[in-house]
Amino acid sequence: MTIALETRNLSKHFGGFTATNQVSLTIGQGARHALIGPNGAGKTTLINLLTGAFPASSGEIYLLGENVTTRPAWQRVQKGLARTFQINRLFAGFTPRRSLMLAVAERYKHGWRFWRALESDKLVVQETEQLLQQIGLTDVADELVSRLPYGKQRLLEIGLALALKPRVLLLDEPAAGVPEEERHEVLTLVKTLPEDVTIVLIEHDMELVFSFADRISVLVQGELFLEGTPQEITASAQVRAIYLGEDG
């Protein structure tokens, strides 16, 4: 197995509080890996460590075979790591088309060409149109982001991550807050993401987790509690006890 993302005894302390404790994960290239656990389990902290938003207190992080533990976030992005957030971080005054154009242009290092309209760059325009189609926003491409339904804003955030051409994509609760009538669009996009992209999903929506993941890690109180296939996780009395309050 070619390893895309690996952590070795990764820990994060905030003063006397331990948010993640000695977490070791090995995620293969092209994997569909889910991180689940109750609120406060350390899932988002782990994502912040992987992306460089938080420095690790101890342990190591390897991205595509390279130790990136002390690398800044932008270098991890350049190496192929991208993420989405629990709460959208979008430019409300832009349109989806303009947002994606800027992201694509930056990847091509064309963003600094301030004297030249992005619309004149054929590569940028072509890729932007492909992304709009992929994420299902062609019909609202020129609407202001602030006017889009929340589900479509979530689709746009995933599209912005895809514009970076990531090799490893971290999705932090992509269905969080999305109304039921819009959820199917997010679920469909997540399940149809490129097979060569390694995807790590944090999600409380178990329907999405079990329809998506080929392997699941359960975090509890900052520690790796259990890891296995969806079938193994479903069969675990310990996991049922954590989520449902059942006696183990």
Side-chain angles (χ1 to χ4, degrees), residues 5 21 29-30 37 65 69 93 114 152 159 162 166 177 205:
L5 187 63
N21 187 33
Q29 185 174 331
T69 310
F114 55 87
K152 293 191 181 300
L162 292 175
D205 186 323

Side-chain angles (χ1 to χ4, degrees), residues 5 7 10 12 14 43-57 60-63 67-78 81-83 85 89 170:
L5 187 63
T7 67
L10 190 63
K12 179 61 180 177
F14 295 97
K43 303 182 297 296
T44 296
T45 297
L46 180 58
I47 293 295
N48 285 331
L49 290 170
L50 294 174
T51 57
F54 292 163
S57 299
E60 296 176 318
I61 303 166
Y62 289 84
L63 176 62
N67 189 332
V68 296
T69 310
T70 59
R71 293 289 186 89
W74 65 269
Q75 288 187 1
R76 302 184 199 198
V77 171
Q78 285 187 337
L81 183 66
R83 73 169 293 182
F85 295 85
R89 300 190 177 187
L170 311 178

Side-chain angles (χ1 to χ4, degrees), residues 157-173:
E157 185 164 23
I158 296 174
L160 290 170
L162 292 175
L164 299 174
K165 292 288 186 184
R167 297 175 66 184
V168 179
L169 176 58
L170 311 178
L171 299 175
D172 195 350
E173 296 194 40

Side-chain angles (χ1 to χ4, degrees), residues 91-113:
F91 293 106
F94 284 13
T95 64
R97 190 188 307 279
R98 172 61 56 171
S99 301
L100 290 169
M101 272 189 174
L102 288 170
V104 173
E106 183 61 28
R107 198 189 80 246
Y108 280 120
K109 303 190 186 305
H110 293 180
W112 57 272
R113 297 179 181 178

Side-chain angles (χ1 to χ4, degrees), residues 231-248:
Q231 294 75 21
E232 290 168 338
I233 298 300
T234 302
S236 169
Q238 294 172 305
V239 173
R240 291 200 301 273
I242 291 168
Y243 274 96
L244 303 177
E246 297 179 2
D247 287 338

Side-chain angles (χ1 to χ4, degrees), residues 116-157:
R116 189 176 158 189
L118 290 176
E119 290 78 6
S120 66
D121 192 318
K122 292 182 180 179
L123 280 175
V124 171
V125 170
Q126 181 179 10
E127 191 168 320
T128 297
E129 294 305 316
Q130 291 171 348
L131 280 167
L132 285 168
Q133 185 172 8
Q134 181 180 358
I135 63 178
L137 294 185
T138 301
D139 59 336
V140 294
D142 297 309
E143 296 284 340
L144 287 179
V145 169
S146 61
R147 296 178 182 173
L148 296 180
Y150 190 67
K152 293 191 181 300
Q153 292 184 19
R154 298 300 277 178
L155 295 175
L156 176 58
E157 185 164 23

Side-chain angles (χ1 to χ4, degrees), residues 216-230:
I216 298 173
S217 297
V218 183
L219 292 178
V220 178
Q221 295 181 347
E223 297 185 355
L224 183 59
F225 180 76
L226 187 67
E227 185 173 295
T229 65

